[in-house]
Amino acid sequence: MTTTRENNCKIQLIADESSAVDGEAMAQLRKTSSLPGMQVVVGLPDLHPGRGYPVGVACLSRGFIYPQIIGSDIGCGIGLWGLECIAANVKQSKWVKRLQSMHHHCHDNSSLSHEGRDEQHNNTDVLLGTIGSGNHFAEIQRVESVHCPERFRALGLQREQALLLVHSGSRGMGDVLLRKHQQVYGIHGVQEGTTDCTDYLSLHDACVQWAKRNRSVLAERIAERLHVKSYPVIDIVHNCVEQLDMGSYTGWLHRKGAATSSNGPIVIPGTRGTYSYLVEPIGEQRRNLFSLAHGAGRKWNRKSCKERLYKRYSADSLRRTAMGSIVICDDRALLYEEAPQAYKDIEAVIKTLEKQGLIQIIAVLKPYITLKQSL
């Protein structure tokens, strides 16, 4: 971990030579540190450039909140469900066929309104139980190895069972809220204690709760389609803002692509062709603002992916990974944008967090079937 101070703000980077943090991401990290009231900025091992502000970051401010740091997909996060079936008994081709037959739900979110809770819910209930595009996914997984058997069992999990991982968010609601803020404040934050701040936080919390519900409904739909029962294990938010008591002051903790580490175990997903890790946050988490990496982090931007991969891989070849897992995705462009090659090395991210004494691996999970933008 390296620590510097700029603009009266402490910048901490939890990374090493294997983390492949590029210059643009570091420039965005420094830009974030210059915002009024910013106290601490933490870059995590999966740090990479975002739209003006970095992804893979936790930031603590005083007196102001910054919706532009959190971004448009408020409440985006990842949930883990246990499936009541033996993984070895699952026939991959049969489950792939069942998941392919699920109805494709694509909706235009541009007309969603936040002018009232009732109207908001009426407009968004049609989206409940959908994945969304981009890096969102639902994935059937098998347990590759268990490192902490007692902790694994305490979560209600068994070595032999299949698991379901769901990564999705607020499906356009957060985008509407961010645009509403930008129309008034542009690139600036909003001062705490104002009516605008109170209104934003209220709608922000509604987005977070809706996103959690969305993941839950999606998990239920998938389990029903597969003719198995499921039960929730973990749900972690990646994009949000919340108050944090630092002892001498209370600040606003912003997370953008950062997993909340103050509520117990989390899952740090790999790419659809690499392992995911069920881990326990350990050590003094205050130094990293109670936040951990939320995944591998992008290595290439989306625009360059097809150019880099098109001549080397066909779309069909990207639908089966080196681990033998199947990717269900009808969108050719998305297959290239979300190819495992476009991401950093998840094992390097995990090892960096281990070296810093921030996590302990509970179990390693292996992809079996990945569903992208097919719901």
Side-chain angles (χ1 to χ4, degrees):
M1 178 188 293
T2 59
T3 302
T4 57
R5 186 172 287 275
E6 297 182 23
N7 309 302
N8 294 318
C9 175
K10 183 165 68 173
I11 301 176
Q12 296 186 155
L13 180 62
I14 303 173
D16 54 29
E17 63 280 357
S18 68
S19 302
V21 176
D22 65 23
E24 184 181 354
M26 287 304 302
Q28 290 185 347
L29 198 66
R30 294 188 182 96
K31 172 185 174 182
T32 304
S33 75
S34 69
L35 294 171
M38 197 61 67
Q39 305 295 304
V40 184
V41 175
V42 176
L44 296 159
D46 56 336
L47 184 74
H48 61 279
R51 295 181 179 178
Y53 297 90
V55 181
V57 68
C59 312
L60 186 67
S61 65
R62 292 182 71 178
F64 293 88
I65 61 172
Y66 291 96
Q68 63 268 35
I69 293 178
I70 306 161
S72 60
D73 197 7
I74 302 167
C76 176
I78 198 159
L80 178 68
W81 278 260
L83 300 180
E84 296 184 2
C85 65
I86 303 301
N89 295 339
V90 173
K91 190 172 182 179
Q92 189 181 48
S93 60
K94 180 181 291 187
W95 275 25
V96 166
K97 186 175 294 186
R98 287 176 179 174
L99 292 174
Q100 284 176 328
S101 69
M102 295 181 73
H103 295 294
H104 184 80
H105 292 277
C106 286
H107 300 277
D108 180 7
N109 300 335
S110 60
S111 62
L112 296 183
S113 169
H114 286 268
E115 295 302 319
R117 293 291 297 278
D118 290 341
E119 183 180 355
Q120 174 184 332
H121 284 203
N122 287 339
N123 280 327
T124 57
D125 278 350
V126 293
L127 298 172
L128 274 174
T130 59
I131 294 175
S133 59
N135 63 352
H136 295 145
F137 64 86
E139 188 165 88
I140 306 299
Q141 296 184 324
R142 291 180 167 186
V143 180
E144 176 71 8
S145 59
V146 177
H147 293 227
C148 296
E150 291 185 6
R151 197 69 186 96
F152 187 75
R153 289 192 297 268
L155 291 171
L157 299 174
Q158 298 179 18
R159 174 69 175 81
E160 299 80 11
Q161 75 181 121
L163 303 175
L164 170 62
L165 199 60
V166 175
H167 177 217
S168 189
S170 51
R171 299 294 281 113
M173 294 174 64
D175 182 62
V176 171
L177 183 51
L178 178 62
R179 290 175 184 275
K180 183 178 179 180
H181 168 81
Q182 290 175 329
Q183 287 173 359
V184 178
Y185 289 91
I187 63 173
H188 303 290
V190 57
Q191 190 168 3
E192 69 175 347
T194 63
T195 299
D196 284 348
C197 181
T198 301
D199 289 347
Y200 174 84
L201 290 172
S202 176
L203 292 171
H204 162 281
D205 292 349
C207 287
V208 170
Q209 292 305 313
W210 192 94
K212 289 184 177 181
R213 186 181 172 207
N214 182 46
R215 290 189 286 275
S216 179
V217 172
L218 177 56
E220 291 174 3
R221 289 188 63 215
I222 290 174
E224 182 180 2
R225 175 63 57 170
L226 297 178
H227 305 157
V228 298
K229 294 182 179 179
S230 66
Y231 59 92
V233 180
I234 295 170
D235 190 275
I236 299 296
V237 178
H238 294 160
N239 299 342
C240 63
V241 61
E242 63 184 18
Q243 282 193 303
L244 178 64
D245 184 359
M246 294 296 289
S248 60
Y249 68 92
T250 298
W252 292 100
L253 174 55
H254 303 68
R255 294 187 180 95
K256 172 61 175 177
T260 307
S261 67
S262 54
N263 299 317
I266 68 170
V267 174
I268 303 179
T271 69
R272 65 185 186 232
T274 57
Y275 294 120
S276 294
Y277 293 82
L278 175 59
V279 305
E280 180 92 56
I282 59 174
E284 177 48 66
Q285 292 285 315
R286 184 177 295 269
R287 61 185 168 127
N288 49 298
L289 295 179
F290 302 97
S291 303
L292 294 168
H294 80 313
R298 291 197 73 90
K299 180 171 61 177
W300 302 332
N301 64 46
R302 295 183 182 281
K303 290 183 179 180
S304 69
C305 286
K306 187 173 182 179
E307 180 182 341
R308 292 173 182 267
L309 299 173
Y310 185 75
K311 292 182 179 180
R312 296 173 57 194
Y313 302 95
S314 68
D316 284 342
S317 71
L318 292 177
R319 292 188 172 97
R320 180 177 288 275
T321 75
M323 287 190 165
S325 62
I326 301 294
V327 179
I328 302 172
C329 180
D330 299 328
D331 189 330
R332 285 175 56 91
L334 191 63
L335 277 170
Y336 286 98
E337 291 174 4
E338 289 295 308
Q341 295 87 340
Y343 284 83
K344 299 181 187 181
D345 182 358
I346 184 62
E347 292 186 9
V349 170
I350 296 300
K351 288 178 180 177
T352 298
L353 294 174
E354 284 186 301
K355 288 178 183 177
Q356 290 293 327
L358 294 173
I359 64 167
Q360 181 178 9
I361 298 174
I362 297 174
V364 180
L365 311 179
K366 184 178 182 179
Y368 193 54
I369 303 171
T370 305
L371 197 58
K372 291 190 68 67
Q373 203 187 18
S374 293
L375 299 180

